[in-house]
Amino acid sequence: MAVERVAVNPVTWSLDMGFNQGEAVSGPTRTLYISGQTAMSRDGRPQHDGDMEQQLALSVDNLEAVLSEADMSLANLVRLNVYTTDVDQLLPHYGVLAARLGAAGVAPTTTLLGVTRLAIPGQLVELEGTAVA
């Protein structure tokens, strides 16, 4: 039996922003809980200081790398938490993330939070997720 995903949307405005209000997952599943991914190089150095768009793109790349290592892809993402030190600065670049999710054919439940700072100084955005396969 395959994993079945059913969008739960008592309202539809969120679909234009690329996320479902809820998602019911049933069937035999394997769950991957993904730690926050930021704009870090493969050897652990912060990248793109002060550049929200580039940091967001690299954070998505790093999220995809974790998914790939678990034989999953963005299409398996059911939950995404987005943390940023500047919501107003992130919103004009949110399309970077939405386009990647859209290309994967997925609209995971999403929460966007403004935070005082992230763990690594200079980091502006962090993506944390849950995926099922």
Side-chain angles (χ1 to χ4, degrees):
M1 177 175 172
V3 172
E4 181 182 348
R5 297 169 60 153
V6 177
V8 179
N9 288 302
V11 298
T12 59
W13 61 264
S14 63
L15 297 177
D16 291 336
M17 296 183 70
F19 68 93
N20 289 314
Q21 294 291 316
E23 196 161 305
V25 179
S26 60
T29 63
R30 183 169 60 98
T31 304
L32 173 65
Y33 300 95
I34 305 161
S35 292
Q37 299 298 307
T38 60
M40 300 289 280
S41 67
R42 293 182 69 76
D43 61 353
R45 289 180 308 182
Q47 303 293 302
H48 311 297
D49 190 42
D51 188 331
M52 180 69 79
E53 183 175 17
Q54 290 299 314
Q55 284 196 24
L56 181 57
L58 184 52
S59 296
V60 178
D61 290 345
N62 290 338
L63 180 70
E64 281 193 292
V66 176
L67 288 160
S68 179
E69 188 73 17
D71 295 321
M72 294 184 189
S73 71
L74 287 175
N76 297 101
L77 206 58
V78 296
R79 178 81 182 136
L80 181 66
N81 293 327
V82 180
Y83 304 95
T84 182
T85 58
D86 191 334
V87 173
D88 293 330
Q89 185 183 359
L90 174 65
L91 290 176
H93 305 293
Y94 201 81
V96 170
L97 175 59
R100 301 269 293 268
L101 295 172
V106 66
T109 60
T110 302
T111 298
L112 170 60
L113 296 169
V115 298
T116 304
R117 65 163 280 194
L118 298 172
I120 305 297
Q123 295 292 280
L124 305 173
V125 63
E126 185 166 336
L127 306 176
E128 171 189 78
T130 304
V132 297

